[in-house]
Amino acid sequence: MSDAQQRLATYRAKRDFSVTAEPAGTAVASGSRRFVVQRHRARRRHYDLRLEVDGVLASWAVPKGPTLDPRARQLAVHVEDHPIEYFDFEGVIPKGQYGGGDVIVWDWGTWQPVRTDDPSKAIQRGELHFDLDGEKLGGRFVLVRRDRDRSGKEQWLLLHKDDDHARAGWDPEDHPRSVKTGRTNEEVAAAPDTLWRSDLPAGEAAIRLGPGSVRSWDPPTEEELGQLDAMDGRGRWLLQGREVRLTNLDKVLFPALARGAPVTKRDLVRYHAVIAPWMLPYLVDRPVNLHRYPEGVDRPGFWHKEVPSHAPEWLTRWRNEEAGPGETECYAVVDSLAALVWMANFGAVELNPWTSRLPRVREPTWALIDIDPGEHTNFDDVVVLARLYRTALAHLEVAATPKVTGKRGVQIWVPIAPGYTFDDTRTWVEKVSRAIGRTVPDLVSWEWHKDRRNGLARLDYTQNAINKTLIAPFSARPAPGAPVSVPIHWDELDDPDLRPDRWTIGTVLDRLDAAGDPLAPLIGRPQRLPAL
Ligand code: MN
């Protein structure tokens, strides 16, 4: 256990979550010192002052809030260190859980210890002088320990020095809005984006919500599926209140595998309906690039981005205001069972969602690692490369999940916090990949052109760019039997039966029942990438 991990033990104990194999509150060392003040309406309203120290957030609960008033002496109760993942949390903690209530990011910025290089020791000794450079708070503060209360919690005082930043009578309650989103606690409580499940390990605790509601989708009913099965070659399917017109349902889209039947458009439509609850979390709020095979996958497919004029009115669209002449203006956003089914009927076999979420299309939410096999790369080589990434990411304490592509390769998806650019993710993935490439130079080529790669694999970091995309989890691939891309557990890389195209639209639901989706807990996880 590292020092920082030890310091999180109290946080974990308080929240009483069961021990899991997933990282719980992984503390990532970082050179920068950040601070945050969260305004937290729980049983009692208070402000939580948190200073980044040695990879965790040293924390004090300040009932009246920090102030610039140099005459004020505010009670500050020293509470347990919080995990770094909590840094920019703004949202709701469910009632009944520890700290149940609503939280906004009231102020944030950087901080600097004064008269010490070892703030952790200064805190142990009970006196810390520090400068804050935030959006609301600035100047020199002092935290000094006084006493313990009846429950054994340390009571400290928080003071502001009478410096250039001091303001007599300054009251934090006069500045109620979040510096992250401009919202008040009341507004966040009314329409939270994020839930903090304090019963889960910190890395999984931030659960992203849709506007005002949990984003999850019910599967189609037996009755709805029965209507599809009973349909002749065409018809109108009413699915969760939306009507989709279906055509050419018995057209073969995928040739058969050795021991099986060919896969028809009806099969793909049905698959999109039943996989929707698993697949939509990766598609919602993102523009999608379609790879269409309307005449079947043994004919050449083509990329299609612009929403056609005959698309149903209810299909969610996003208009790219920055589109140049000849560029796609109107993208589809797949956010319902009906939309996913419409895509199948449209011959959109492969769905490639953007790496960024609307409306911030220049901010990736995933860093993507693509192990792209060459002609001479066999799957054993791909697994060797994936295991090297596994070792590197574990060493860096970065949470990520591999997925087989359904064709020949493996990708690794790394969730990241808001605020990174595509330059950041591309550079980071390139650095990790170059290090891995150096350990197995006989397997990897860095040549841009495929014909100069001598059949070797490429560790492709260039997909970390706006409007560059990888295949969505659970999307079908254009090959016999309709194989699908499937997230796997890391230890499945050691399974001799693993194949990149092991699961098809006919078998992946059973796989999900048995093994779940190991990538799902990482969706929306605000992970900082460690400096390399
Ligand atoms: Mn609190």
Side-chain angles (χ1 to χ4, degrees), residues 324-370:
E327 288 184 335
T328 303
E329 275 179 23
C330 183
Y331 287 82
V333 178
V334 179
D335 54 7
S336 65
L337 270 67
L340 204 44
V341 161
W342 185 85
M343 289 293 166
N345 190 66
F346 193 46
V349 167
E350 295 184 295
L351 300 179
N352 286 43
W354 284 27
T355 312
S356 47
R357 281 180 69 215
L358 298 172
R360 291 199 289 272
V361 290
R362 297 185 179 285
E363 276 187 24
T365 66
W366 299 102
L368 300 174
I369 294 167
D370 185 15

Side-chain angles (χ1 to χ4, degrees), residues 5 8 12 17-27 85 199-205 394 397-402 413 415 487-492 515-523 525 527:
Q5 282 170 330
L8 289 176
R12 293 203 194 88
F17 43 66
S18 55
V19 177
T20 77
E22 301 296 332
T26 310
E85 286 88 342
D199 57 324
L200 294 178
E204 298 160 30
E397 297 189 13
V398 167
T401 293
W413 286 37
I488 59 170
H489 297 273
W490 281 111
D491 58 12
E492 289 179 273
D517 172 12
L519 186 55
L522 301 189
I523 297 172
R525 177 161 171 174
Q527 177 169 243

Side-chain angles (χ1 to χ4, degrees), residues 287 289 305 318 320 322-323 327 331 353-364 366 368 421-423 425-426 461-470:
N289 299 343
K305 299 180 185 174
W318 172 65
N320 182 10
E322 292 170 22
E327 288 184 335
Y331 287 82
W354 284 27
T355 312
S356 47
R357 281 180 69 215
L358 298 172
R360 291 199 289 272
V361 290
R362 297 185 179 285
E363 276 187 24
W366 299 102
L368 300 174
T421 64
F422 282 106
D423 281 341
T425 53
R426 193 168 53 249
Y461 49 84
T462 65
Q463 294 300 107
N464 292 288
I466 190 167
N467 207 345
K468 292 218 175 169
T469 54
L470 294 179

Side-chain angles (χ1 to χ4, degrees), residues 40 46 48 50:
H40 183 184
H46 59 273
D48 290 299
R50 307 189 195 279

Side-chain angles (χ1 to χ4, degrees), residues 102-380:
D102 48 73
V103 177
I104 63 166
V105 176
W106 181 82
D107 195 19
W108 60 11
T110 56
W111 77 281
Q112 197 92 59
V114 178
R115 291 195 232 145
T116 177
D117 301 331
D118 190 348
S120 168
K121 192 172 270 176
I123 293 167
Q124 271 170 28
R125 288 183 180 152
E127 185 169 337
L128 178 66
H129 295 241
F130 57 102
D131 290 334
L132 291 186
D133 183 6
E135 296 186 30
K136 295 174 183 172
L137 299 176
R140 183 148 308 171
F141 288 80
V142 180
L143 272 167
V144 54
R145 182 165 57 216
R146 303 308 301 264
D147 235 332
R148 288 174 192 278
D149 68 13
R150 272 192 226 124
S151 68
K153 279 196 172 148
E154 291 179 358
Q155 305 208 353
W156 294 50
L157 289 178
L158 175 66
L159 329 169
H160 194 283
K161 291 283 194 179
D162 197 0
D163 58 16
D164 288 350
H165 294 269
R167 297 282 177 280
W170 195 91
D171 184 350
E173 289 291 294
D174 295 337
H175 308 268
R177 291 193 174 273
S178 162
V179 292
K180 183 179 174 183
T181 63
R183 297 183 301 170
T184 61
N185 277 82
E186 290 75 10
E187 286 164 1
V188 166
D193 297 326
T194 316
L195 202 68
W196 187 267
R197 289 271 309 272
S198 42
D199 57 324
L200 294 178
E204 298 160 30
I207 311 285
R208 219 162 42 71
L209 307 176
S213 67
V214 180
R215 290 292 185 105
S216 68
W217 291 264
D218 290 327
T221 63
E222 285 304 316
E223 200 188 343
E224 284 168 328
L225 290 173
Q227 285 158 6
L228 173 66
D229 296 342
M231 215 177 275
D232 289 330
R234 56 189 302 138
R236 293 161 187 249
W237 194 19
L238 195 65
L239 192 59
Q240 299 191 346
R242 284 175 177 161
E243 187 186 86
V244 195
R245 290 173 185 217
L246 300 175
T247 53
N248 293 321
L249 283 170
D250 297 315
K251 173 182 261 183
V252 169
L253 285 187
F254 304 79
L257 279 172
R259 283 170 294 138
V263 177
T264 63
K265 194 155 113 181
R266 186 193 305 269
D267 298 327
L268 186 67
V269 163
R270 196 178 212 282
Y271 171 68
H272 273 196
V274 297
I275 199 67
W278 297 95
M279 191 174 178
L280 287 173
Y282 299 101
L283 299 173
V284 66
D285 294 336
R286 297 164 193 273
V288 66
N289 299 343
L290 314 174
H291 210 187
R292 292 183 60 209
Y293 294 83
E295 300 307 320
V297 302
D298 42 12
R299 304 275 194 89
F302 53 93
W303 286 99
H304 191 130
K305 299 180 185 174
E306 190 84 37
V307 173
S309 56
H310 61 79
E313 223 169 81
W314 48 254
L315 185 72
T316 305
R317 293 156 165 88
W318 172 65
R319 196 161 288 285
N320 182 10
E321 303 293 347
E322 292 170 22
E327 288 184 335
T328 303
E329 275 179 23
C330 183
Y331 287 82
V333 178
V334 179
D335 54 7
S336 65
L337 270 67
L340 204 44
V341 161
W342 185 85
M343 289 293 166
N345 190 66
F346 193 46
V349 167
E350 295 184 295
L351 300 179
N352 286 43
W354 284 27
T355 312
S356 47
R357 281 180 69 215
L358 298 172
R360 291 199 289 272
V361 290
R362 297 185 179 285
E363 276 187 24
T365 66
W366 299 102
L368 300 174
I369 294 167
D370 185 15
I371 304 171
D372 188 9
E375 296 155 55
H376 299 149
T377 312
N378 59 40
F379 189 61
D380 288 343

